[in-house]
Amino acid sequence: MTRSAAHGRFALGSRGVARLLTLVLATSGLARDAEAVPVRGLVEVVDISMPTVSPDGRTVAFQTEQGVVERNTYDTAWYVQPLDGSAPARRIADGGLPFRGASGVSVPESPVWSADGRWLFFRALIDGEVAVWRAAADGSGAMPVTRDAADVRAFVLDEDGRTLTYSVGATREAIVAEEMAEYARGIRIDARVPLGQGLFRSSHLGARLATQRYTGNWFDRDVLLSNTPVRWKAVDLTTGLTTDLAEADAPARVAAQGKAPAWRAAAWQVSEDADTGRIALLTRTGEGAGVSRKPDVQLSALPRRTAREPVVCTAELCRDKAITSIQWRPGHTEVLFTVSDPAHAWAQGIFRWNVDTGHVRPVSNAEGLVSGGRDAYSKCGVSREALVCVAASADQPPRLERLHIETGEHQILFEPNAALASDLARQPRARVLRWHDASGQAYTGHLFPVPSGVETPAPLFVTYYSCQGFLRGGVGDEWPLASLAAHGIVALCINQVPEFSLDPVVRYGKGLAAVESVIDVLASTGEIDPARVGMGGLSFGSEVTMWTAMHSDLLAAASVSSPMLSPTYWLMGSLMGDDFTSELERVWQVGAPEEAGTRWQLLSPALNLDRIAAPLLMQLPEQEHLHALDYAVPLIRDRRADLYVFPHEPHLKFQPKHKLAVYERNLDWFLFWLKGVEAAGQAKAAQYSHWRAMRARSHELRAARFADQGG
């Protein structure tokens, strides 16, 4: 164990146990009576994405997405608004169901304006079909312009706006027929079949439950027949006539013309101005040994079509910066670039680089994200004079803002989450926290303090991974940070260090060091009680949580939503062959369990059951839960874990009813273990009965461990 007896969870002695029992028996409703941030409000946040400025620079189009608990679905819509804010946003079309990647994350759709600014074209999943729709910018109506038996994968609008070219794969009918044929003859297990989940129509891909296959890229999945060759078609937008295109006539199929220049081949991001042929580039540089990517970013550009070698930005404001996006400013010789600063908890700033003069000037600095959506890499909409960005920070939900490029002046255009923002404004503001561990490693995070008048020192909840934008619940949105704080538990989201080490012991160790050092920092000021610390995480955050539970005595309770490396995980993935085993060797440095016993013994919770003493809540997606059973089942049998599985969910759970259930149970879990508080009423009686049995077992383990330590 890594923690000293003074703070150790298993070194509480009779006084500490008595204190916990007093908390458990407390009947005060102080925490529940607090003016809390309702978790449902966190589920039903309106997200904004894809701000796209019209060709004349006067109007911006954007999409909204909102979970609706009652119908267990999402509503999306397209809006347009004058860029100067002279009129409110106008809803012009239904956006259909959100598109989602294989992991469950929402993938915003990029719209295309017609050259005259009268129409907005976009793909939409409506009534079970993916078609290209055209919406009138004046709000007078929207209609599909493709009517195909297959879902549209991509489209291109001709410059004259008269022809729309689109691509499709297998028809919907053919995919369903193949699913049913497999069902009838039995599903042959091969390298492309995702083991560990249902095999027939087991998860949402598109509008319905679909049978899935691996696509060859780690655990990415797609529907049956996804490898059907792409076919291109063209629609005459005047007559509606659709024609098939020969392969040679398909767009974006440019034959290779010799070897690409070295600068182009090495580029990480490329932004090309279609009108002038100018190219801006981001290239990763520096020593990348032992980490997943090179640590530095170089900004450069080819300022004209005839340029052969890029010009490198050498100004101080673009050197050694974490640049995450680039785009050309229309009508200017400037590249607009965004820096996500790890030293300031990944807060973003936007800058403009004049390629001709070399000068760099700031445009705007934000407390959180100022981008085109929920991630640091999406781009704001841009005109000659202004940027249109989605602004969001730790305790400020998304809103649409106009940023004047020359003056940096901000103007709110669209604020759909005003009610939630008002709820959050009644709580203490979240603050950026910076600290170092014993080795000097720097960390940052966002801390949600408890309201004044609530018991201090307070318990602490920690989640580790990435803390960007509006922090409704950490990566995966499962731990309601603001709600935890409102109920008397200090909540902290910790950013991982920028360099992702390929040695799992190093990267997990940095996560553990971050948690241990921040507990010391916050305990030293009297803000938190180091004997009452909980932790939770998804994906890499789950791994760090389990590592912390296995290799320290810091945690009084834990909650995870993803499986960790285990023999069962390896078994189910190994059928993929080298696509799986090579990545496991690269990122976890392990082979088959029987070939590397010592390494597996260090990393896998299945081989460290006796080291996991913190009560463990597991809320896993159906797609992954079987991977964790070799350690979940023994822990459940020993009353040390509670497992819930959410049907038809992928890596990131997204169904609103499931999100609400996860939020509420995590809130209940940490109030129970860290404050001894139970929700009133009979609705959750069975839940608390089980948790009380777990608590009794936890006390047995504590007493035994205390005795072993000679207490």
Side-chain angles (χ1 to χ4, degrees):
M1 297 294 175
T2 62
R3 198 154 180 82
S4 68
H7 295 143
R9 191 168 50 82
F10 295 116
L12 292 173
S14 59
R15 182 180 300 175
V17 171
R19 183 183 180 195
L20 285 176
L21 286 172
T22 300
L23 287 167
V24 165
L25 295 173
T27 58
S28 169
L30 175 62
R32 288 292 186 181
D33 291 341
E35 188 178 81
V37 177
V39 295
R40 182 165 178 157
L42 300 177
V43 176
E44 297 187 329
V45 171
V46 178
D47 281 303
I48 309 168
S49 63
M50 288 297 166
T52 306
V53 176
S54 61
D56 63 7
R58 297 180 178 178
T59 306
V60 62
F62 57 92
Q63 188 179 44
T64 62
E65 176 184 322
Q66 181 180 28
V68 182
V69 172
E70 284 93 345
R71 292 183 281 114
N72 197 33
T73 190
Y74 287 81
D75 290 338
T76 71
W78 285 99
Y79 288 81
V80 297
Q81 187 171 9
L83 212 63
D84 61 5
S86 58
R90 177 192 300 121
R91 188 182 188 278
I92 63 167
D94 179 7
L97 291 176
F99 294 106
R100 295 194 181 276
S103 68
V105 67
S106 177
V107 181
E109 173 68 5
S110 181
V112 175
W113 281 97
S114 62
D116 58 10
R118 295 177 56 208
W119 304 98
L120 192 73
F121 293 80
F122 53 89
R123 288 190 315 143
L125 174 53
I126 297 176
D127 295 332
E129 301 179 7
V130 179
V132 179
W133 285 65
R134 179 176 65 182
D138 63 5
S140 59
M143 63 179 296
V145 296
T146 64
R147 294 174 175 82
D148 206 282
D151 288 341
V152 175
R153 295 185 176 185
F155 73 93
V156 177
L157 182 66
D158 285 3
E159 290 185 6
D160 61 9
R162 297 179 180 178
T163 304
L164 184 138
T165 306
Y166 69 95
S167 65
V168 296
T171 66
R172 291 180 292 275
E173 183 178 354
I175 294 170
V176 170
E178 181 62 19
E179 288 178 342
M180 294 309 300
E182 275 199 345
Y183 183 88
R185 67 177 180 259
I187 297 173
R188 181 179 181 272
I189 303 301
D190 61 20
R192 295 186 64 231
V193 174
L195 299 180
Q197 66 180 79
L199 300 183
F200 176 74
R201 294 181 179 172
S202 59
S203 191
H204 290 276
L205 282 175
R208 66 183 184 89
L209 293 173
T211 298
Q212 301 177 330
R213 288 292 184 271
Y214 288 134
T215 61
N217 183 13
W218 195 230
F219 284 110
D220 280 356
R221 297 161 168 86
D222 209 334
V223 296
L224 294 183
L225 305 182
S226 62
N227 56 357
T228 299
V230 168
R231 294 170 291 121
W232 286 87
K233 302 182 181 184
V235 180
D236 185 313
L237 296 176
T238 302
T239 66
L241 180 66
T242 300
T243 57
D244 294 329
L245 296 180
E247 185 174 357
D249 297 327
R253 296 173 93 75
V254 180
Q257 299 177 357
K259 185 178 180 181
W263 53 264
R264 182 73 182 242
W268 164 50
Q269 278 191 36
V270 177
S271 176
E272 186 167 359
D273 186 334
D275 294 332
T276 65
R278 302 176 299 180
I279 298 175
L281 307 123
L282 292 181
T283 306
R284 293 202 179 277
T285 62
E287 177 56 53
V291 294
S292 61
R293 65 186 186 189
K294 294 181 178 180
D296 302 319
V297 177
Q298 177 182 273
L299 172 61
S300 61
L302 280 84
R304 55 194 60 85
R305 291 184 191 274
T306 57
R308 295 184 176 273
E309 291 294 328
V311 176
V312 176
C313 181
T314 58
E316 182 179 354
L317 288 174
C318 64
R319 289 200 319 269
D320 302 321
K321 305 297 182 184
I323 304 175
T324 48
S325 70
I326 50 173
Q327 58 185 324
W328 287 96
R329 180 182 179 185
H332 289 262
T333 60
E334 291 182 342
V335 174
L336 300 166
F337 65 94
T338 300
V339 173
S340 301
D341 191 349
H344 292 84
W346 300 103
Q348 291 190 312
I350 300 176
F351 301 82
R352 51 192 180 104
W353 170 40
N354 188 309
V355 180
D356 286 348
T357 67
H359 294 153
V360 176
R361 294 182 173 86
V363 175
S364 177
N365 286 299
E367 293 182 353
L369 288 183
V370 55
S371 65
R374 282 199 66 179
D375 65 83
Y377 301 96
S378 55
K379 300 175 183 178
C380 301
V382 61
S383 71
R384 289 175 60 97
E385 305 301 330
L387 288 159
V388 182
C389 307
V390 182
S393 58
D395 57 0
Q396 295 294 307
R399 64 189 188 187
L400 196 71
E401 292 188 354
R402 177 185 184 271
L403 309 180
H404 193 282
I405 294 174
E406 298 287 343
T407 68
E409 179 184 0
H410 289 234
Q411 178 185 2
I412 298 174
L413 294 178
F414 183 67
E415 192 172 14
N417 297 300
L420 177 59
S422 178
D423 286 342
L424 291 163
R426 289 193 289 270
Q427 305 298 322
R429 286 296 311 271
R431 69 178 190 264
V432 173
L433 199 65
R434 302 179 184 88
W435 71 100
H436 294 80
D437 65 18
S439 71
Q441 174 68 57
Y443 299 96
T444 65
H446 292 275
L447 185 139
F448 291 75
V450 298
S452 60
V454 173
E455 148 198 42
T456 54
L460 171 68
F461 169 78
V462 174
T463 185
Y464 182 89
Y465 196 173
S466 178
C467 314
Q468 298 183 354
F470 178 51
L471 298 181
R472 56 205 87 181
V475 172
D477 298 333
E478 299 208 358
W479 296 269
L481 300 176
S483 299
L484 284 162
H487 285 86
I489 299 174
V490 173
L492 173 65
C493 183
I494 302 177
N495 287 300
Q496 66 173 324
V497 296
E499 298 81 22
F500 186 87
S501 173
L502 293 177
D503 185 338
V505 175
V506 172
R507 64 177 182 268
Y508 296 157
K510 288 184 177 180
L512 171 55
V515 176
E516 183 169 31
S517 56
V518 82
I519 290 172
D520 287 337
V521 169
L522 295 174
S524 69
T525 64
E527 188 165 2
I528 65 101
D529 178 357
R532 293 186 290 154
V533 176
M535 187 172 182
L538 177 140
S539 197
F540 180 45
S542 285
E543 296 170 41
V544 173
T545 299
M546 291 300 297
W547 182 266
T548 302
M550 290 190 298
H551 294 279
S552 80
D553 57 1
L554 296 171
L555 305 182
S559 167
V560 297
S561 57
S562 305
M564 194 172 173
L565 184 69
S566 74
T568 299
Y569 178 89
W570 187 91
L571 175 68
M572 292 187 174
S574 62
L575 193 60
M576 284 192 282
D578 189 60
D579 287 331
F580 175 80
T581 57
S582 63
E583 188 70 3
L584 218 61
E585 291 172 358
R586 185 180 77 91
V587 180
W588 282 270
Q589 300 177 0
V590 296
E594 63 272 15
E595 297 172 0
T598 302
R599 193 73 166 174
W600 277 92
Q601 181 67 50
L602 182 65
L603 296 174
S604 177
L607 305 176
N608 287 277
L609 294 173
D610 61 331
R611 301 178 64 108
I612 303 171
L616 180 64
L617 175 63
M618 306 176 73
Q619 302 200 82
L620 305 184
E622 186 177 31
Q623 190 178 84
E624 298 177 345
H625 81 287
L626 293 181
H627 297 175
L629 292 188
D630 51 359
Y631 58 93
V633 169
L635 291 173
I636 293 169
R637 291 177 60 190
D638 196 27
R639 291 178 294 157
R640 289 188 281 157
D642 198 11
L643 171 63
Y644 291 81
V645 177
F646 290 84
H648 304 148
E649 291 284 17
H651 187 55
L652 279 78
K653 298 182 281 291
F654 64 85
Q655 296 181 53
K657 287 187 176 180
H658 289 168
K659 302 294 288 185
L660 181 61
V662 167
Y663 273 140
E664 290 182 339
R665 188 171 293 116
N666 272 322
L667 181 60
D668 290 344
W669 175 259
F670 288 107
L671 283 171
F672 178 85
W673 289 103
L674 303 184
K675 291 179 68 69
V677 172
E678 297 182 12
Q682 292 299 310
K684 298 177 180 179
Q687 167 182 282
Y688 288 114
S689 176
H690 181 61
W691 291 356
R692 286 192 291 271
M694 291 180 65
R695 186 173 61 206
R697 178 58 176 154
S698 178
H699 289 163
E700 292 174 5
L701 293 172
R702 290 169 184 269
R705 185 67 61 89
F706 183 67
D708 289 344
Q709 292 177 348

